Amino acid sequence: MKAGVPSSVGLAMLLVGGGLTASPALAKCRSDCKKQIVAEAKACKSGCGKDKVCKKACRDEKTSDVAACKAATNPTPPDCGETTTTTTTSTPAVTSSTTTTSTSTSITSTTTSTTSTTTSTSASTSTTEPPCSSVLQWGAPGSGNGEFINPTGIAIDGSGNIYVADSGNNRIQKFDASGTFLTTWGSSGSGDGQFSNPFGVATDGGGHVYVADSGNSRVQKFDASGTFLTTWGSAGSGTGQFGLSAGVATDGSESVYVSDVHNDNHLHDRVQKFDASGNFLLTWGSGGQFDSPVAVATDTSGHVYVADTGNLRIQKFDAIGTFLTMWGNLKSEAEGVATNSTGDVYVSEFHAGIEKFDGSGTFLTAWSGGFNFKPVGVATDASGNVYVVDYGNNRVQKFACP
């Protein structure tokens, strides 16, 4: 994300670049495909309000996608699949020394620790696991129940219910595991229960729902029915303040981690940690250690994974922000990150698809999701299924993994 991008542009436009381009390998599409692109562009523009920069990004994406559609061979929509070929290289791990700074409100001093870490920049020309396969999808462009405009974040609670940040409609939608609509809450604004481009969403063990209300530089907390409980945060770079509150995640202790993006050459890009009531605990990342960290996730061991989007990498930390490892060579910008019960890590890459790694960054497998697949949010359920917010098609896709 470049400095100087107007803050009025929706976070989804900022974080997926405002330069939305077609997937590189469209195998099938043309006439019906063009109709779909036109409908998606209309929905995209409707989520921009009066923002001319946002609307231009929508028009640019439409032009690019139509051109790719015209160039595609053997067009037979709606089966507009795409074939993903992984052609990357592997480089040896290197040992580096990284300094991590953590600041806590309970300690008046700032502590700095140096940790010897392994940095992995590896990918693979072959997979060690078969890819996951799409088994369910729901959603369409629009503002009705079960419809989306520029959806971004996704989370799953202990009962298997699914929460989607419907950013362009400034609301949260809730579904059951089969995609059946259950309820929705939110509207445009800055009052309690209102949103301005909600981006990330998370749940905790008590069934609470946390929303990164990016345009309002805050986090809001609700119960599972959407009843407002509390909120914290304001615009700024102080502790407990946010530039753009982008990603949100919880751990087994019900701490809340928020990835914070600042449009100031990323000098204040960071992760902040709070308790479940919004009391500030600590923070880490400054001086260019991150470049647009738009998503954050935790695993069952308490590790924290950050999608360091602008640097095309994932960084891994312990629960107090000590750097552990990182891996790069991602094919595209990482817009979402999630873990499963065994500690594997799923990364949604906006122009490439989904990649799966183990907890150390070793590549396992990758897959895409068909025509115009632009994944943003990603989450897993207790059965190991993977749910992806398909931003390009205004829908949610569910993948079953072997």
Side-chain angles (χ1 to χ4, degrees), residues 96-330:
S96 64
S97 181
T98 302
T99 300
T100 302
T101 301
S102 298
T103 305
S104 173
T105 53
S106 61
I107 303 175
T108 57
S109 62
T110 301
T111 59
T112 303
S113 61
T114 302
T115 306
S116 179
T117 61
T118 299
T119 300
S120 172
T121 56
S122 63
S124 176
T125 56
S126 62
T127 64
T128 60
E129 294 183 1
C132 303
S133 57
S134 181
V135 295
L136 177 68
Q137 54 188 264
W138 69 90
S143 301
N145 294 338
E147 297 178 331
F148 305 104
I149 296 176
N150 301 335
T152 51
I154 187 168
I156 301 172
D157 67 19
S159 300
N161 298 310
I162 300 157
Y163 303 83
V164 179
D166 186 7
S167 184
N169 285 313
N170 289 300
R171 64 183 179 179
I172 301 297
Q173 293 198 65
K174 180 180 179 180
F175 304 87
D176 66 16
S178 63
T180 301
F181 173 83
L182 297 177
T183 190
T184 184
W185 69 89
S187 60
S188 179
S190 57
D192 293 345
Q194 295 183 312
F195 302 108
S196 175
N197 295 313
F199 194 80
V201 60
T203 62
D204 65 17
H208 304 114
V209 181
Y210 301 83
V211 181
D213 186 7
S214 67
N216 286 317
S217 300
R218 64 182 180 180
V219 174
Q220 293 196 67
K221 180 179 179 180
F222 304 86
D223 68 15
S225 299
T227 301
F228 172 82
L229 298 176
T230 190
T231 184
W232 67 90
S234 60
S237 58
T239 56
Q241 294 184 313
F242 305 102
L244 293 169
S245 46
V248 60
T250 64
D251 64 16
S253 301
E254 296 192 1
S255 297
V256 182
Y257 301 84
V258 184
S259 59
D260 182 14
V261 179
H262 289 259
N263 195 15
D264 60 355
N265 293 321
H266 313 293
L267 295 178
H268 293 95
D269 284 4
R270 59 188 176 177
V271 173
Q272 296 194 66
K273 181 178 180 179
F274 304 86
D275 68 18
S277 300
N279 296 306
F280 174 81
L281 299 177
L282 59 87
T283 184
W284 70 89
S286 62
Q289 292 172 326
F290 295 115
D291 184 342
S292 303
V294 305
V296 61
T298 63
D299 64 19
T300 55
S301 299
H303 301 122
V304 182
Y305 300 83
V306 181
D308 190 1
T309 306
N311 286 317
L312 296 178
R313 65 186 180 184
I314 301 297
Q315 294 199 58
K316 179 179 179 180
F317 304 86
D318 67 15
I320 59 172
T322 304
F323 176 82
L324 300 176
T325 190
M326 67 181 179
W327 61 93
N329 281 358
L330 301 179

Side-chain angles (χ1 to χ4, degrees), residues 1 10-18 199 214 244 246-247 261 292-295 309 333-335 350:
M1 187 173 66
L11 183 63
M13 288 296 177
L14 282 168
L15 299 183
V16 298
F199 194 80
S214 67
L244 293 169
V261 179
S292 303
V294 305
T309 306
E333 302 93 335
E335 299 290 342
F350 192 68

Side-chain angles (χ1 to χ4, degrees), residues 384-402:
N385 299 304
V386 180
Y387 296 78
V388 179
V389 171
D390 186 355
Y391 179 99
N393 292 301
N394 288 294
R395 66 183 177 184
V396 175
Q397 289 202 61
K398 177 182 179 180
F399 296 89
C401 301

